Structure formats: structure tokens, C-alpha cells
Amino acid sequence: MLVRDAAKAADTFFDVLVIGAGPTGLACAIEVQKAGFTVALVDKGCICNSLFHYPSHMTFFTTPELLEIGGIPFPSPNPKPTRNEALQYYRLVAAHYKLDVRQYERVERVMGEDGEFTVRTEDRFGRTGALRARKLIVSTGYYDLPNLMCIPGESLSKVFHYYNDPHPYFDMDVVVIGGKNSSAIAALELWRSGARVTLVHRHEGMHRHVKYWIKPDIENRIKNGEIEAYFNTDVVEITQDAVVLKTREGLKSIKNDFVFAMTGYHPDFNFLESMGVRFVGPDRLPVCNAETLESNVPGIFLAGVIVAGSRTNEIFIENGRFHGGQIAQALLGK
């Protein structure tokens, strides 16, 4: 039986521990707490760490009500809220529910079994700790692990897999790699801030799923020659002063100061495997009960984008926020 009385739980022993304090993790903690269980969250960064690292001027593609968690309205004067509005909203929700969030503690190892898990952590200063829980919810997202190109020069300090702000790249030669939303947004903002932008994509054009208000903008900038574009092209090497491209006409070296490799991200499959979670199929779908979200490892539940494996375009805040309710119902059933 799960202990549903906070007074019976030790300071570091909980009914449920949520690994990952993004919007889905927060939603899970809220629903589990509402169901009467003791719960804490642990995250290697801050609350909504991935969202914090989104571009500073980012606007969501969705409406405020589809980002709401815990039954708390998301007030916004904009039809599509900004990153900063979302961060404020999730902070206020966490404070409203008095969630126990252990920020800046990286999970190093998970031991034990259903009913008696021990989670070993390490803080920013290398100090180790341990949290114990009867059940675990893993909601670690995918934004922290970029898909690497594995080419010479990718580790140079001029190469970034995240885009934040265009200001530092004024009057610089910048290459943006990729053909989806993040690439288009980065290229447009950099160009509008005075960078000389070259976009490189391995396919024949911008991806068909680029948002309808962004796609014509980037395509018109390319058509007008304001942003240079190389399609059906791969980056094969990055040097201190140039980028080497493999085009249909052969190799081409172009002058370059900075590179934004917007090549996508993937879940931490190694971490899940270390806990015994199994995967199936080429998309590495974790073995998971579709109704309860309990993995093949008894007592370990999965939530958010990691449920879809490498198909990271299937689960977002809008639908992942409901995973907490599914898990809470499963725990009550036990």
C-alpha cells in the first residue's frame, strides 16, 4: 500500500519521486499530490529548464489554455503566449501547489525495486545525496541531448546546437543547419538582426511542417537572396573560419564565423536503459502500458515526450500534461 499521509513519510522518503521538473513533470506531481500521495521532484537544472533555454524572444505555437496544468488558468494578453509568460506561469503554479522541487540536482543512478527505490543525486558542487521513493515517474524530456552530426569541427566553440538571441551575431557570417521551425526562426531572427545568414539543409526544401506563418517568410527571404540557402546539401566539416559543404556540384567552402546546428534532439535512452526500461522498434518506443504509463519495470512510470521514443514530434506540453492524471489514477488503483 502507498502511504498517503505526509506525516508518515521521512524527509527524503516519498510515495512518488518525479525525475524532471518541466511542465509535464510539474503536472504529474500536482496530480499525484492531489490524489493524496507524498511527492517530490528532482531536476538537474531549474524548473522548466528546457523551456528556459528556448530562444529568449520565442512565442509558442499554441494558445495559453493548452499549456495550463493543475487547473490553474494561464492569463495572457496574447493569443499565443511568450516564453517568459510561460516561465512565470509555471513558477506561480509550482508555488501555488507548494511543490517540493529539488533543483540543480542531477540524478546519477537509480537503484532498488518497486516499493523501495533509491535515487542517487549530485548537486552543482559535487555533493552526493539520496532520495527514496516507492514509485518513480520519469519525465526527462529530450531537449538536453542534441542530435550530433559527428563531423570534424563540430566541437569548436563557434558551433551551437541551441539558439537563444541574435544580437551577438550582428555583422557576422552565420550558417544555420536544418529545415524545420527552429532553423527557420533562427535564420530569420539572425538576418533581421544584421547577420549574413546561410541556411543549409540536406533535403530539397524547407520541411512541409514549418508553421504556416513562418514558411512563406523564410522562403521569400531565400527567393530574394536576403538569406542564402543550400538545399540537398550536407555540412561535412567546420573549421575556425569556414564551413565545408557537400553540394550536388561538389565540395564548397564558405566563409563562416558561427554555426547553429538545429539538427534536433533525442531522449536520454541510456538513462532509461540503466533502469531496465526496454525499447521496441526503430523509433525506440519504450515498453509502456498505454493506460497507466507504467513501464516494463514495475513502479517506474513514464510521462511526456519520452513515451514516444525518438518520435519527438508526437507529444508536447499540450498532450503530455494529461499524463499525470493517468498515472495518479493508476496509483490509486494500486
Side-chain angles (χ1 to χ4, degrees):
M1 294 271 308
L2 293 180
V3 175
R4 299 176 61 191
D5 182 352
K8 295 180 182 178
D11 185 45
T12 56
F13 189 65
F14 305 94
D15 291 328
V16 181
L17 179 67
V18 181
I19 302 175
T24 297
L26 295 176
C28 288
I30 290 168
E31 296 305 320
V32 168
Q33 184 170 282
K34 281 183 175 181
F37 302 111
T38 60
V39 60
L41 303 95
V42 60
D43 198 294
K44 65 178 180 299
C46 59
I47 284 180
C48 297
N49 191 63
S50 294
L51 202 162
F52 171 70
H53 286 97
Y54 283 2
S56 56
H57 305 298
M58 190 201 81
T59 298
F60 278 89
F61 296 142
T62 191
T63 55
E65 62 270 17
L66 295 180
L67 301 178
E68 293 175 355
I69 61 174
I72 305 295
F74 185 162
S76 173
N78 304 305
K80 293 182 173 62
T82 65
R83 160 194 173 272
N84 288 343
E85 288 177 322
L87 287 173
Q88 181 184 39
Y89 169 76
Y90 291 120
R91 290 196 304 268
L92 292 174
V93 170
H96 173 80
Y97 281 102
K98 297 180 174 61
L99 296 179
D100 183 350
V101 187
R102 312 298 175 95
Q103 300 181 85
Y104 305 105
E105 289 193 37
R106 178 184 294 274
V107 173
E108 297 294 333
R109 187 180 178 190
V110 173
M111 301 177 295
E113 59 186 11
D114 189 11
E116 186 69 47
F117 289 106
T118 298
V119 177
R120 299 290 181 184
T121 64
E122 184 176 295
D123 71 7
R124 294 171 293 158
F125 308 105
R127 295 174 297 195
T128 59
L131 296 167
R132 296 168 57 228
R134 292 177 172 81
K135 308 288 183 181
L136 301 180
I137 300 175
V138 182
S139 180
T140 48
Y142 71 104
Y143 193 61
D144 292 323
L145 294 172
N147 297 328
L148 300 179
M149 299 177 290
C150 300
I151 61 173
E154 188 172 12
S155 61
L156 289 173
S157 62
K158 63 182 269 187
V159 181
F160 306 98
H161 289 277
Y162 299 90
Y163 166 76
N164 181 262
D165 192 284
H167 174 76
Y169 312 102
F170 166 74
D171 200 30
M172 295 279 104
D173 293 299
V174 181
V175 164
V176 177
I177 303 171
K180 295 185 179 180
N181 285 298
S182 57
S183 305
I185 292 170
L188 289 166
E189 287 193 2
L190 288 161
W191 170 72
R192 290 196 164 97
S193 298
R196 293 179 292 276
V197 179
T198 300
L199 187 142
V200 179
H201 187 38
R202 60 184 176 178
H203 297 302
E204 61 184 13
M206 300 302 295
H207 197 279
R208 67 183 185 279
H209 289 154
V210 173
K211 298 302 179 181
Y212 66 88
W213 64 91
I214 297 173
K215 197 168 189 286
D217 191 1
I218 185 69
E219 290 179 338
N220 284 330
R221 302 291 75 74
I222 293 170
K223 181 180 178 181
N224 294 340
E226 295 159 314
I227 293 176
E228 187 172 12
Y230 289 88
F231 293 112
N232 296 305
T233 297
D234 290 307
V235 177
V236 295
E237 184 179 4
I238 301 170
T239 69
Q240 292 176 338
D241 302 306
V243 168
V244 181
L245 308 178
K246 182 181 179 182
T247 72
R248 285 183 170 179
E249 290 73 38
L251 295 180
K252 181 180 179 64
S253 179
I254 62 173
K255 184 176 178 294
N256 173 256
D257 298 305
F258 294 98
V259 174
F260 286 92
M262 314 304 291
T263 50
Y265 311 91
H266 62 272
D268 192 344
F269 294 114
N270 291 335
F271 177 62
L272 293 173
E273 284 179 325
S274 73
M275 294 185 289
V277 176
R278 298 197 306 268
F279 303 91
V280 295
D283 293 322
R284 304 204 71 187
L285 295 173
V287 175
C288 177
N289 184 301
E291 292 188 5
T292 67
L293 298 179
E294 188 170 17
S295 72
N296 63 280
V297 182
I300 296 182
F301 295 79
L302 308 180
V305 68
I306 60 173
V307 172
S310 60
R311 303 202 302 242
T312 55
N313 62 339
E314 292 188 359
I315 297 179
F316 305 94
I317 299 173
E318 294 93 321
N319 48 5
R321 64 193 176 128
F322 298 115
H323 288 172
Q326 290 180 248
I327 295 172
Q329 288 302 309
L331 294 177
L332 286 170
K334 288 180 179 293

